[in-house]
Amino acid sequence: MAYRRAAALAIAAIFSISRSANAFQVVAGCRVRVEGYRVERDVRPGRNRGVGRAVNISGRRLRDVRARFRVFDARGRRIGWPSDSIMDLRAGQSWRFRAPAAGNVSRARLASADSR
């Protein structure tokens, strides 16, 4: 059962430039839930960002919350680890993250979203 859940989370984390990852995702630790993340292209070449929304579901205030992605080019090569963070996230509060990603990003995977 745990294997199926892990596989489902891994599959749900893969997305392309289009809006395809609109399902909720609870990441390891069950303190932060990520909702509807995607890659947005900037009008300037090579400047993209991973954007989405994270919600504190821990029931307590979290410090130094970070959303981190692995981004890939069209050939499937990893070209970066963009991330964004917030220093204080109250219980139940949501946060819109913007993780800048340089390069020609074709797809990305959410690597982590949790507090330290």
PDB file of all heavy atoms in Angstrom, residues 54-84:
ATOM      1  N   ALA A  54       1.331  26.378  -1.492  1.00  0.00           N
ATOM      2  CA  ALA A  54       1.584  25.422  -0.414  1.00  0.00           C
ATOM      3  C   ALA A  54       0.752  25.836   0.793  1.00  0.00           C
ATOM      4  O   ALA A  54       0.588  27.026   1.067  1.00  0.00           O
ATOM      5  CB  ALA A  54       3.064  25.402  -0.048  1.00  0.00           C
ATOM      6  N   VAL A  55       0.231  24.856   1.514  1.00  0.00           N
ATOM      7  CA  VAL A  55      -0.606  25.112   2.687  1.00  0.00           C
ATOM      8  C   VAL A  55       0.002  24.396   3.887  1.00  0.00           C
ATOM      9  O   VAL A  55       0.366  23.224   3.790  1.00  0.00           O
ATOM     10  CB  VAL A  55      -2.050  24.613   2.459  1.00  0.00           C
ATOM     11  CG1 VAL A  55      -2.909  24.852   3.688  1.00  0.00           C
ATOM     12  CG2 VAL A  55      -2.669  25.262   1.239  1.00  0.00           C
ATOM     13  N   ASN A  56       0.082  25.089   5.007  1.00  0.00           N
ATOM     14  CA  ASN A  56       0.566  24.503   6.254  1.00  0.00           C
ATOM     15  C   ASN A  56      -0.561  23.661   6.848  1.00  0.00           C
ATOM     16  O   ASN A  56      -1.574  24.197   7.295  1.00  0.00           O
ATOM     17  CB  ASN A  56       0.986  25.609   7.221  1.00  0.00           C
ATOM     18  CG  ASN A  56       1.445  25.083   8.554  1.00  0.00           C
ATOM     19  OD1 ASN A  56       1.330  23.904   8.864  1.00  0.00           O
ATOM     20  ND2 ASN A  56       1.966  25.974   9.370  1.00  0.00           N
ATOM     21  N   ILE A  57      -0.404  22.351   6.866  1.00  0.00           N
ATOM     22  CA  ILE A  57      -1.419  21.449   7.422  1.00  0.00           C
ATOM     23  C   ILE A  57      -0.964  20.819   8.732  1.00  0.00           C
ATOM     24  O   ILE A  57      -1.582  19.881   9.225  1.00  0.00           O
ATOM     25  CB  ILE A  57      -1.806  20.342   6.408  1.00  0.00           C
ATOM     26  CG1 ILE A  57      -0.603  19.484   6.047  1.00  0.00           C
ATOM     27  CG2 ILE A  57      -2.444  20.948   5.179  1.00  0.00           C
ATOM     28  CD1 ILE A  57      -0.935  18.257   5.228  1.00  0.00           C
ATOM     29  N   SER A  58       0.092  21.363   9.328  1.00  0.00           N
ATOM     30  CA  SER A  58       0.674  20.761  10.529  1.00  0.00           C
ATOM     31  C   SER A  58      -0.095  21.073  11.806  1.00  0.00           C
ATOM     32  O   SER A  58       0.048  20.373  12.795  1.00  0.00           O
ATOM     33  CB  SER A  58       2.117  21.240  10.707  1.00  0.00           C
ATOM     34  OG  SER A  58       2.136  22.605  11.080  1.00  0.00           O
ATOM     35  N   GLY A  59      -0.868  22.163  11.805  1.00  0.00           N
ATOM     36  CA  GLY A  59      -1.560  22.566  13.024  1.00  0.00           C
ATOM     37  C   GLY A  59      -0.704  23.453  13.921  1.00  0.00           C
ATOM     38  O   GLY A  59      -1.106  23.804  15.023  1.00  0.00           O
ATOM     39  N   ARG A  60       0.496  23.811  13.464  1.00  0.00           N
ATOM     40  CA  ARG A  60       1.375  24.700  14.238  1.00  0.00           C
ATOM     41  C   ARG A  60       2.155  25.588  13.280  1.00  0.00           C
ATOM     42  O   ARG A  60       2.194  25.341  12.081  1.00  0.00           O
ATOM     43  CB  ARG A  60       2.330  23.905  15.120  1.00  0.00           C
ATOM     44  CG  ARG A  60       3.289  23.021  14.374  1.00  0.00           C
ATOM     45  CD  ARG A  60       4.153  22.185  15.324  1.00  0.00           C
ATOM     46  NE  ARG A  60       5.017  21.316  14.596  1.00  0.00           N
ATOM     47  CZ  ARG A  60       6.214  21.651  14.132  1.00  0.00           C
ATOM     48  NH1 ARG A  60       6.679  22.866  14.329  1.00  0.00           N
ATOM     49  NH2 ARG A  60       6.953  20.789  13.478  1.00  0.00           N
ATOM     50  N   ARG A  61       2.759  26.645  13.812  1.00  0.00           N
ATOM     51  CA  ARG A  61       3.551  27.573  13.011  1.00  0.00           C
ATOM     52  C   ARG A  61       4.828  26.882  12.537  1.00  0.00           C
ATOM     53  O   ARG A  61       5.493  26.193  13.302  1.00  0.00           O
ATOM     54  CB  ARG A  61       3.904  28.784  13.858  1.00  0.00           C
ATOM     55  CG  ARG A  61       4.721  29.814  13.122  1.00  0.00           C
ATOM     56  CD  ARG A  61       4.843  31.044  13.948  1.00  0.00           C
ATOM     57  NE  ARG A  61       3.553  31.708  13.879  1.00  0.00           N
ATOM     58  CZ  ARG A  61       3.351  32.995  14.067  1.00  0.00           C
ATOM     59  NH1 ARG A  61       4.353  33.763  14.380  1.00  0.00           N
ATOM     60  NH2 ARG A  61       2.161  33.515  13.969  1.00  0.00           N
ATOM     61  N   LEU A  62       5.163  27.077  11.250  1.00  0.00           N
ATOM     62  CA  LEU A  62       6.376  26.493  10.676  1.00  0.00           C
ATOM     63  C   LEU A  62       7.365  27.596  10.333  1.00  0.00           C
ATOM     64  O   LEU A  62       6.975  28.674   9.893  1.00  0.00           O
ATOM     65  CB  LEU A  62       6.050  25.696   9.415  1.00  0.00           C
ATOM     66  CG  LEU A  62       5.160  24.483   9.584  1.00  0.00           C
ATOM     67  CD1 LEU A  62       4.854  23.874   8.223  1.00  0.00           C
ATOM     68  CD2 LEU A  62       5.791  23.460  10.503  1.00  0.00           C
ATOM     69  N   ARG A  63       8.623  27.314  10.525  1.00  0.00           N
ATOM     70  CA  ARG A  63       9.706  28.249  10.200  1.00  0.00           C
ATOM     71  C   ARG A  63      10.472  27.724   8.985  1.00  0.00           C
ATOM     72  O   ARG A  63      10.667  26.527   8.841  1.00  0.00           O
ATOM     73  CB  ARG A  63      10.682  28.366  11.370  1.00  0.00           C
ATOM     74  CG  ARG A  63      10.024  28.722  12.661  1.00  0.00           C
ATOM     75  CD  ARG A  63       9.981  30.212  12.818  1.00  0.00           C
ATOM     76  NE  ARG A  63       9.437  30.537  14.142  1.00  0.00           N
ATOM     77  CZ  ARG A  63       8.574  31.504  14.325  1.00  0.00           C
ATOM     78  NH1 ARG A  63       8.159  32.227  13.320  1.00  0.00           N
ATOM     79  NH2 ARG A  63       8.117  31.758  15.527  1.00  0.00           N
ATOM     80  N   ASP A  64      10.922  28.626   8.147  1.00  0.00           N
ATOM     81  CA  ASP A  64      11.745  28.310   6.978  1.00  0.00           C
ATOM     82  C   ASP A  64      11.152  27.197   6.109  1.00  0.00           C
ATOM     83  O   ASP A  64      11.727  26.132   5.953  1.00  0.00           O
ATOM     84  CB  ASP A  64      13.171  27.961   7.406  1.00  0.00           C
ATOM     85  CG  ASP A  64      14.132  27.963   6.222  1.00  0.00           C
ATOM     86  OD1 ASP A  64      13.789  28.531   5.173  1.00  0.00           O
ATOM     87  OD2 ASP A  64      15.219  27.384   6.355  1.00  0.00           O
ATOM     88  N   VAL A  65       9.998  27.455   5.526  1.00  0.00           N
ATOM     89  CA  VAL A  65       9.340  26.509   4.624  1.00  0.00           C
ATOM     90  C   VAL A  65       9.918  26.714   3.228  1.00  0.00           C
ATOM     91  O   VAL A  65      10.082  27.841   2.768  1.00  0.00           O
ATOM     92  CB  VAL A  65       7.814  26.725   4.619  1.00  0.00           C
ATOM     93  CG1 VAL A  65       7.139  25.772   3.654  1.00  0.00           C
ATOM     94  CG2 VAL A  65       7.257  26.562   6.022  1.00  0.00           C
ATOM     95  N   ARG A  66      10.251  25.609   2.546  1.00  0.00           N
ATOM     96  CA  ARG A  66      10.899  25.679   1.243  1.00  0.00           C
ATOM     97  C   ARG A  66      10.208  24.734   0.262  1.00  0.00           C
ATOM     98  O   ARG A  66       9.915  23.591   0.584  1.00  0.00           O
ATOM     99  CB  ARG A  66      12.359  25.291   1.380  1.00  0.00           C
ATOM    100  CG  ARG A  66      13.152  25.350   0.115  1.00  0.00           C
ATOM    101  CD  ARG A  66      14.619  25.085   0.369  1.00  0.00           C
ATOM    102  NE  ARG A  66      15.158  25.958   1.397  1.00  0.00           N
ATOM    103  CZ  ARG A  66      15.683  27.167   1.169  1.00  0.00           C
ATOM    104  NH1 ARG A  66      15.724  27.621  -0.056  1.00  0.00           N
ATOM    105  NH2 ARG A  66      16.159  27.888   2.152  1.00  0.00           N
ATOM    106  N   ALA A  67       9.975  25.228  -0.969  1.00  0.00           N
ATOM    107  CA  ALA A  67       9.501  24.408  -2.082  1.00  0.00           C
ATOM    108  C   ALA A  67      10.667  24.294  -3.058  1.00  0.00           C
ATOM    109  O   ALA A  67      11.222  25.304  -3.474  1.00  0.00           O
ATOM    110  CB  ALA A  67       8.302  25.048  -2.755  1.00  0.00           C
ATOM    111  N   ARG A  68      11.032  23.072  -3.425  1.00  0.00           N
ATOM    112  CA  ARG A  68      12.199  22.835  -4.276  1.00  0.00           C
ATOM    113  C   ARG A  68      11.832  21.893  -5.418  1.00  0.00           C
ATOM    114  O   ARG A  68      11.148  20.897  -5.203  1.00  0.00           O
ATOM    115  CB  ARG A  68      13.314  22.239  -3.433  1.00  0.00           C
ATOM    116  CG  ARG A  68      14.624  22.130  -4.149  1.00  0.00           C
ATOM    117  CD  ARG A  68      15.712  21.729  -3.188  1.00  0.00           C
ATOM    118  NE  ARG A  68      16.973  21.704  -3.883  1.00  0.00           N
ATOM    119  CZ  ARG A  68      17.968  20.932  -3.555  1.00  0.00           C
ATOM    120  NH1 ARG A  68      17.877  20.134  -2.518  1.00  0.00           N
ATOM    121  NH2 ARG A  68      19.080  20.958  -4.245  1.00  0.00           N
ATOM    122  N   PHE A  69      12.301  22.206  -6.626  1.00  0.00           N
ATOM    123  CA  PHE A  69      12.010  21.437  -7.832  1.00  0.00           C
ATOM    124  C   PHE A  69      13.288  20.927  -8.471  1.00  0.00           C
ATOM    125  O   PHE A  69      14.353  21.491  -8.296  1.00  0.00           O
ATOM    126  CB  PHE A  69      11.312  22.328  -8.875  1.00  0.00           C
ATOM    127  CG  PHE A  69       9.977  22.799  -8.478  1.00  0.00           C
ATOM    128  CD1 PHE A  69       9.824  23.973  -7.763  1.00  0.00           C
ATOM    129  CD2 PHE A  69       8.848  22.080  -8.807  1.00  0.00           C
ATOM    130  CE1 PHE A  69       8.585  24.425  -7.385  1.00  0.00           C
ATOM    131  CE2 PHE A  69       7.600  22.521  -8.437  1.00  0.00           C
ATOM    132  CZ  PHE A  69       7.466  23.691  -7.723  1.00  0.00           C
ATOM    133  N   ARG A  70      13.142  19.879  -9.261  1.00  0.00           N
ATOM    134  CA  ARG A  70      14.175  19.457 -10.209  1.00  0.00           C
ATOM    135  C   ARG A  70      13.616  19.798 -11.580  1.00  0.00           C
ATOM    136  O   ARG A  70      12.492  19.406 -11.899  1.00  0.00           O
ATOM    137  CB  ARG A  70      14.422  17.955 -10.129  1.00  0.00           C
ATOM    138  CG  ARG A  70      15.273  17.570  -8.953  1.00  0.00           C
ATOM    139  CD  ARG A  70      15.550  16.111  -8.991  1.00  0.00           C
ATOM    140  NE  ARG A  70      14.385  15.440  -8.409  1.00  0.00           N
ATOM    141  CZ  ARG A  70      14.317  14.159  -8.149  1.00  0.00           C
ATOM    142  NH1 ARG A  70      15.315  13.377  -8.438  1.00  0.00           N
ATOM    143  NH2 ARG A  70      13.259  13.639  -7.604  1.00  0.00           N
ATOM    144  N   VAL A  71      14.368  20.539 -12.387  1.00  0.00           N
ATOM    145  CA  VAL A  71      13.883  20.917 -13.714  1.00  0.00           C
ATOM    146  C   VAL A  71      14.740  20.258 -14.784  1.00  0.00           C
ATOM    147  O   VAL A  71      15.936  20.045 -14.605  1.00  0.00           O
ATOM    148  CB  VAL A  71      13.826  22.453 -13.898  1.00  0.00           C
ATOM    149  CG1 VAL A  71      12.767  23.055 -13.012  1.00  0.00           C
ATOM    150  CG2 VAL A  71      15.166  23.107 -13.658  1.00  0.00           C
ATOM    151  N   PHE A  72      14.096  19.935 -15.910  1.00  0.00           N
ATOM    152  CA  PHE A  72      14.720  19.172 -16.987  1.00  0.00           C
ATOM    153  C   PHE A  72      14.515  19.870 -18.322  1.00  0.00           C
ATOM    154  O   PHE A  72      13.500  20.530 -18.532  1.00  0.00           O
ATOM    155  CB  PHE A  72      14.104  17.765 -17.060  1.00  0.00           C
ATOM    156  CG  PHE A  72      14.202  17.002 -15.774  1.00  0.00           C
ATOM    157  CD1 PHE A  72      13.221  17.128 -14.809  1.00  0.00           C
ATOM    158  CD2 PHE A  72      15.284  16.172 -15.533  1.00  0.00           C
ATOM    159  CE1 PHE A  72      13.313  16.425 -13.619  1.00  0.00           C
ATOM    160  CE2 PHE A  72      15.378  15.461 -14.349  1.00  0.00           C
ATOM    161  CZ  PHE A  72      14.395  15.596 -13.385  1.00  0.00           C
ATOM    162  N   ASP A  73      15.467  19.688 -19.241  1.00  0.00           N
ATOM    163  CA  ASP A  73      15.310  20.222 -20.589  1.00  0.00           C
ATOM    164  C   ASP A  73      14.539  19.221 -21.447  1.00  0.00           C
ATOM    165  O   ASP A  73      14.098  18.175 -20.955  1.00  0.00           O
ATOM    166  CB  ASP A  73      16.665  20.589 -21.197  1.00  0.00           C
ATOM    167  CG  ASP A  73      17.571  19.390 -21.458  1.00  0.00           C
ATOM    168  OD1 ASP A  73      17.123  18.233 -21.329  1.00  0.00           O
ATOM    169  OD2 ASP A  73      18.747  19.615 -21.791  1.00  0.00           O
ATOM    170  N   ALA A  74      14.396  19.527 -22.727  1.00  0.00           N
ATOM    171  CA  ALA A  74      13.619  18.673 -23.636  1.00  0.00           C
ATOM    172  C   ALA A  74      14.217  17.285 -23.814  1.00  0.00           C
ATOM    173  O   ALA A  74      13.510  16.329 -24.123  1.00  0.00           O
ATOM    174  CB  ALA A  74      13.471  19.351 -24.999  1.00  0.00           C
ATOM    175  N   ARG A  75      15.528  17.143 -23.594  1.00  0.00           N
ATOM    176  CA  ARG A  75      16.184  15.832 -23.717  1.00  0.00           C
ATOM    177  C   ARG A  75      16.152  15.040 -22.413  1.00  0.00           C
ATOM    178  O   ARG A  75      16.721  13.961 -22.338  1.00  0.00           O
ATOM    179  CB  ARG A  75      17.620  16.014 -24.160  1.00  0.00           C
ATOM    180  CG  ARG A  75      17.722  16.524 -25.569  1.00  0.00           C
ATOM    181  CD  ARG A  75      19.144  16.568 -25.998  1.00  0.00           C
ATOM    182  NE  ARG A  75      19.249  17.012 -27.368  1.00  0.00           N
ATOM    183  CZ  ARG A  75      20.374  17.259 -27.963  1.00  0.00           C
ATOM    184  NH1 ARG A  75      21.511  17.120 -27.318  1.00  0.00           N
ATOM    185  NH2 ARG A  75      20.383  17.663 -29.212  1.00  0.00           N
ATOM    186  N   GLY A  76      15.561  15.586 -21.377  1.00  0.00           N
ATOM    187  CA  GLY A  76      15.476  14.894 -20.102  1.00  0.00           C
ATOM    188  C   GLY A  76      16.661  15.105 -19.185  1.00  0.00           C
ATOM    189  O   GLY A  76      16.762  14.465 -18.143  1.00  0.00           O
ATOM    190  N   ARG A  77      17.558  16.014 -19.538  1.00  0.00           N
ATOM    191  CA  ARG A  77      18.720  16.306 -18.692  1.00  0.00           C
ATOM    192  C   ARG A  77      18.326  17.281 -17.592  1.00  0.00           C
ATOM    193  O   ARG A  77      17.653  18.273 -17.860  1.00  0.00           O
ATOM    194  CB  ARG A  77      19.853  16.915 -19.518  1.00  0.00           C
ATOM    195  CG  ARG A  77      20.410  15.964 -20.548  1.00  0.00           C
ATOM    196  CD  ARG A  77      21.478  16.648 -21.347  1.00  0.00           C
ATOM    197  NE  ARG A  77      20.844  17.746 -22.090  1.00  0.00           N
ATOM    198  CZ  ARG A  77      21.334  18.274 -23.190  1.00  0.00           C
ATOM    199  NH1 ARG A  77      22.471  17.837 -23.678  1.00  0.00           N
ATOM    200  NH2 ARG A  77      20.713  19.249 -23.812  1.00  0.00           N
ATOM    201  N   ARG A  78      18.788  17.005 -16.372  1.00  0.00           N
ATOM    202  CA  ARG A  78      18.503  17.911 -15.265  1.00  0.00           C
ATOM    203  C   ARG A  78      19.314  19.183 -15.455  1.00  0.00           C
ATOM    204  O   ARG A  78      20.524  19.135 -15.635  1.00  0.00           O
ATOM    205  CB  ARG A  78      18.832  17.263 -13.931  1.00  0.00           C
ATOM    206  CG  ARG A  78      18.373  18.110 -12.757  1.00  0.00           C
ATOM    207  CD  ARG A  78      18.591  17.445 -11.437  1.00  0.00           C
ATOM    208  NE  ARG A  78      20.017  17.241 -11.235  1.00  0.00           N
ATOM    209  CZ  ARG A  78      20.539  16.143 -10.720  1.00  0.00           C
ATOM    210  NH1 ARG A  78      19.773  15.137 -10.370  1.00  0.00           N
ATOM    211  NH2 ARG A  78      21.829  16.030 -10.558  1.00  0.00           N
ATOM    212  N   ILE A  79      18.643  20.326 -15.399  1.00  0.00           N
ATOM    213  CA  ILE A  79      19.333  21.596 -15.632  1.00  0.00           C
ATOM    214  C   ILE A  79      19.263  22.537 -14.435  1.00  0.00           C
ATOM    215  O   ILE A  79      19.754  23.656 -14.514  1.00  0.00           O
ATOM    216  CB  ILE A  79      18.789  22.307 -16.892  1.00  0.00           C
ATOM    217  CG1 ILE A  79      17.292  22.565 -16.789  1.00  0.00           C
ATOM    218  CG2 ILE A  79      19.136  21.523 -18.133  1.00  0.00           C
ATOM    219  CD1 ILE A  79      16.730  23.398 -17.922  1.00  0.00           C
ATOM    220  N   GLY A  80      18.691  22.096 -13.328  1.00  0.00           N
ATOM    221  CA  GLY A  80      18.677  22.972 -12.165  1.00  0.00           C
ATOM    222  C   GLY A  80      17.812  22.479 -11.019  1.00  0.00           C
ATOM    223  O   GLY A  80      17.092  21.486 -11.137  1.00  0.00           O
ATOM    224  N   TRP A  81      17.945  23.197  -9.899  1.00  0.00           N
ATOM    225  CA  TRP A  81      17.191  22.919  -8.667  1.00  0.00           C
ATOM    226  C   TRP A  81      16.575  24.225  -8.147  1.00  0.00           C
ATOM    227  O   TRP A  81      16.994  24.737  -7.109  1.00  0.00           O
ATOM    228  CB  TRP A  81      18.114  22.364  -7.589  1.00  0.00           C
ATOM    229  CG  TRP A  81      18.579  20.979  -7.818  1.00  0.00           C
ATOM    230  CD1 TRP A  81      19.676  20.589  -8.525  1.00  0.00           C
ATOM    231  CD2 TRP A  81      17.977  19.790  -7.336  1.00  0.00           C
ATOM    232  NE1 TRP A  81      19.793  19.233  -8.506  1.00  0.00           N
ATOM    233  CE2 TRP A  81      18.760  18.711  -7.779  1.00  0.00           C
ATOM    234  CE3 TRP A  81      16.845  19.525  -6.567  1.00  0.00           C
ATOM    235  CZ2 TRP A  81      18.446  17.400  -7.490  1.00  0.00           C
ATOM    236  CZ3 TRP A  81      16.545  18.218  -6.275  1.00  0.00           C
ATOM    237  CH2 TRP A  81      17.337  17.172  -6.736  1.00  0.00           C
ATOM    238  N   PRO A  82      15.608  24.814  -8.823  1.00  0.00           N
ATOM    239  CA  PRO A  82      15.036  26.064  -8.329  1.00  0.00           C
ATOM    240  C   PRO A  82      14.262  25.852  -7.032  1.00  0.00           C
ATOM    241  O   PRO A  82      13.690  24.787  -6.804  1.00  0.00           O
ATOM    242  CB  PRO A  82      14.107  26.507  -9.456  1.00  0.00           C
ATOM    243  CG  PRO A  82      13.788  25.272 -10.200  1.00  0.00           C
ATOM    244  CD  PRO A  82      14.980  24.371 -10.063  1.00  0.00           C
ATOM    245  N   SER A  83      14.272  26.888  -6.196  1.00  0.00           N
ATOM    246  CA  SER A  83      13.529  26.794  -4.939  1.00  0.00           C
ATOM    247  C   SER A  83      13.056  28.172  -4.512  1.00  0.00           C
ATOM    248  O   SER A  83      13.537  29.193  -4.986  1.00  0.00           O
ATOM    249  CB  SER A  83      14.402  26.177  -3.845  1.00  0.00           C
ATOM    250  OG  SER A  83      15.471  27.037  -3.530  1.00  0.00           O
ATOM    251  N   ASP A  84      12.094  28.179  -3.618  1.00  0.00           N
ATOM    252  CA  ASP A  84      11.598  29.397  -2.998  1.00  0.00           C
ATOM    253  C   ASP A  84      11.322  29.062  -1.545  1.00  0.00           C
ATOM    254  O   ASP A  84      11.071  27.895  -1.205  1.00  0.00           O
ATOM    255  CB  ASP A  84      10.323  29.871  -3.695  1.00  0.00           C
ATOM    256  CG  ASP A  84       9.914  31.283  -3.287  1.00  0.00           C
ATOM    257  OD1 ASP A  84      10.714  31.980  -2.614  1.00  0.00           O
ATOM    258  OD2 ASP A  84       8.798  31.700  -3.631  1.00  0.00           O
TER     259      ASP A  84
END
